[in-house]
Amino acid sequence: MIHFIKVVMLAVMLTLVFPSGATAVSNQSIGWGFQKSKNEVPAEAGAQYDKLLTDYGAFYKGNPDEKVLYLTFDNGYENGHTKKILDVLKREKVPATFFVTGHYLLSAEDLVKRMVKEGHIIGNHSWHHPDFTQTSDEKIREEMKKVKEKTAELTGQKEMKYIRPPRGVFSARTLDIARKEGYTHVFWSVAFVDWKTDQQKGWQYSYNNLMNQAHPGAIILLHSVSQDNADAMEKSIQDLKKRGYTFKSLDEHPMMKKQ
């Protein structure tokens, strides 16, 4: 009898922490990672991650046979460099997706409005940037909803299709929740340590990483807080174009065209 009571109590506790039947889907925490590209051979996350993402309609790269790049930024807070990045994107006619947090929406309204006005996409990076695997179903939905509603209020962008998990941490459970709310998880296949504002290394650091890791179908993750990225943006885009690459919107990704 005592054992039975303990089991019931445990079940109740799990329901309170992760409601809506979440126990049916694994909540094992995963930190996104992959083998970086070399010599333009596409990055690889491995068969296990590939299957998991496919099962939930998520992706981290595009067609390996097309020299297309997808430029994305994570915008947690403004550090004075996004205007320069937007100026370059406008001159070079390059579309991008900016994954923003609540803090960014509240503190950089004019930049968010400009992003949408100039044809870029605003994606969801959560309101408070929590670890979704340690957050209840209800709270995750609230985190996503607040970003979507504030973005619509500021910019008129009514639809929000893309989400990037805070901290790059996710699980089958969090993928499932987002998908049921109409979101597509977008991971990345090109990245480097660029977010440490007290450890910037100069424009060539960003440029070299982009040129060395670029590959057909790459989804590039950059952080807009980086001066290195802002300073390297124009030359990186121009030289990648010279190498035969074109830049496209996530809406043109093969996975999105199937929907």
Side-chain angles (χ1 to χ4, degrees):
M1 184 64 180
I2 295 175
H3 175 71
F4 173 75
I5 292 173
K6 287 182 178 179
V7 170
V8 171
M9 289 177 64
L10 177 59
V12 171
M13 290 172 62
L14 287 171
T15 302
L16 289 172
V17 176
F18 300 122
S20 303
T23 53
V25 182
S26 172
N27 193 46
Q28 180 179 345
S29 180
I30 301 169
W32 179 245
F34 54 90
Q35 183 176 338
K36 292 182 179 181
S37 167
K38 290 183 180 179
N39 301 317
E40 297 186 281
V41 175
E44 290 291 344
Q48 185 175 0
Y49 281 3
D50 285 350
K51 183 181 185 308
L52 178 61
L53 266 57
T54 299
D55 287 347
Y56 289 96
F59 56 82
Y60 68 99
K61 58 183 178 180
N63 190 335
D65 299 319
E66 294 182 354
K67 296 194 79 170
V68 173
L69 301 173
Y70 305 90
L71 189 57
T72 71
F73 294 86
D74 282 5
N75 289 61
Y77 65 96
E78 180 51 38
N79 196 37
H81 305 303
T82 305
K83 180 183 181 300
K84 183 174 183 176
I85 290 170
L86 287 169
D87 289 345
V88 172
L89 298 180
K90 186 175 182 179
R91 284 196 301 271
E92 293 296 326
K93 297 180 173 58
V94 169
T97 299
F98 293 86
F99 290 92
V100 303
T101 62
H103 181 280
Y104 198 86
L105 289 166
L106 295 176
S107 62
E109 291 186 5
D110 290 345
L111 289 169
V112 173
K113 292 175 182 177
R114 181 182 171 186
M115 290 168 188
V116 173
K117 184 178 180 180
E118 295 183 355
H120 304 297
I121 296 170
I122 303 294
N124 204 317
H125 200 40
S126 80
W127 191 261
H128 294 104
H129 206 258
D131 178 346
F132 274 0
T133 66
Q134 301 300 312
T135 306
S136 72
D137 294 21
E138 182 181 0
K139 184 64 177 176
I140 290 174
R141 294 189 187 98
E142 180 184 335
E143 288 277 331
M144 296 188 296
K145 182 181 179 182
K146 289 180 71 174
V147 171
K148 180 179 180 178
E149 290 182 346
K150 188 62 177 179
T151 298
E153 175 190 325
L154 291 176
T155 71
Q157 178 186 291
K158 302 297 184 185
E159 186 178 36
M160 186 167 279
K161 297 183 286 188
Y162 306 109
I163 187 166
R164 176 161 285 157
R167 314 179 193 189
V169 177
F170 65 104
S171 67
R173 168 182 160 266
T174 64
L175 291 172
D176 186 54
I177 293 168
R179 182 178 63 166
K180 288 175 178 175
E181 294 298 314
Y183 285 96
T184 296
H185 263 78
V186 179
F187 293 87
W188 57 92
S189 63
V190 171
F192 50 95
V193 177
D194 61 346
W195 60 87
K196 295 181 179 180
T197 57
D198 60 342
Q199 296 180 32
Q200 295 294 287
K201 302 176 182 179
W203 71 269
Q204 194 134 18
Y205 168 75
S206 175
Y207 174 84
N208 289 343
N209 270 283
L210 287 169
M211 299 304 289
N212 291 338
Q213 292 188 49
H215 64 82
I219 295 178
I220 299 170
L221 163 61
L222 297 173
H223 288 83
S224 60
V225 296
S226 166
Q227 183 175 343
D228 292 352
N229 289 338
D231 291 346
M233 189 61 49
E234 187 165 39
K235 181 171 175 56
S236 298
I237 289 173
Q238 290 174 348
D239 286 358
L240 285 166
K241 286 180 177 178
K242 289 176 184 177
R243 200 187 280 183
Y245 286 99
T246 59
F247 290 83
K248 291 187 177 182
S249 164
L250 285 179
D251 285 348
E252 299 178 89
H253 189 280
M255 287 281 288
M256 300 310 296
K257 289 183 177 181
K258 292 178 183 178
Q259 296 184 10

